[in-house]
Amino acid sequence: MRKGGYYFIFLLLVAVQMLICNYLNLSPYLTLSILPVLVLCLPLRLPTFWTMLLAFVTAGAVDLLSEGLLGLNALALVPVAFVRKEIIRLIFGDELFARKEDFSVRKNGFGKVALAVFLVQALFLLIYIWADGAGTRTLAFNAIRFGVSLGAGWALSLLVIDILAPDNRK
């Protein structure tokens, strides 16, 4: 995918995230976010600092234009951007970095990609739910919210992943 096309799709999916935040409040137990998978699928050639900065700006825009609490998504998304390359290295190995190529479901397998998406979603939600509750919600409520949100967010992210990480060999 060309560079300009990727970033257009990225911005389009950020707008989709804003719509999800504004209009898809199904339950207090459900927090849907595709932001972690957006950060996971950023090109590997992008340095970690720029990935973190892009995550901060993206999440800040979502916070400003859709969420009620400014900085909540940014607080949860920047650590995802910080550990993104290590998660990719852990799951996919060093080959992607050596060949300077991005991952895709077709090249790397559904299981590995699903695990990477699961890990970034889990990290994002742990921080998000911890900060959102800020000691005002019970551990049981937060645990149920984490489980429900992780399952739904993981499934939604798997639907989005093929758009963000297409196979260039098609």
Side-chain angles (χ1 to χ4, degrees), residues 102-170:
D102 297 318
F103 66 89
S104 74
V105 174
R106 188 168 171 201
K107 284 190 287 191
N108 301 102
F110 178 78
K112 288 182 178 182
V113 173
L115 179 59
V117 171
F118 182 85
L119 290 175
V120 295
Q121 276 285 344
L123 176 61
F124 176 84
L125 287 169
L126 278 172
I127 297 168
Y128 186 97
I129 291 171
W130 169 77
D132 190 36
T136 60
R137 298 210 169 121
T138 65
L139 179 61
F141 176 87
N142 286 338
I144 292 169
R145 182 178 179 194
F146 176 78
V148 168
S149 299
L150 182 59
W154 179 71
L156 181 62
S157 294
L158 289 177
L159 295 174
V160 171
I161 194 84
D162 201 39
I163 297 169
L164 291 169
D167 189 4
N168 294 332
R169 297 180 299 176
K170 287 182 180 177

Side-chain angles (χ1 to χ4, degrees), residues 36-58:
V37 78
L38 291 176
V39 168
L40 178 67
C41 292
L42 286 171
L44 287 176
R45 65 185 175 278
L46 195 63
T48 300
F49 172 78
W50 292 109
T51 304
M52 291 172 65
L53 185 62
L54 185 59
F56 179 78
V57 170
T58 301

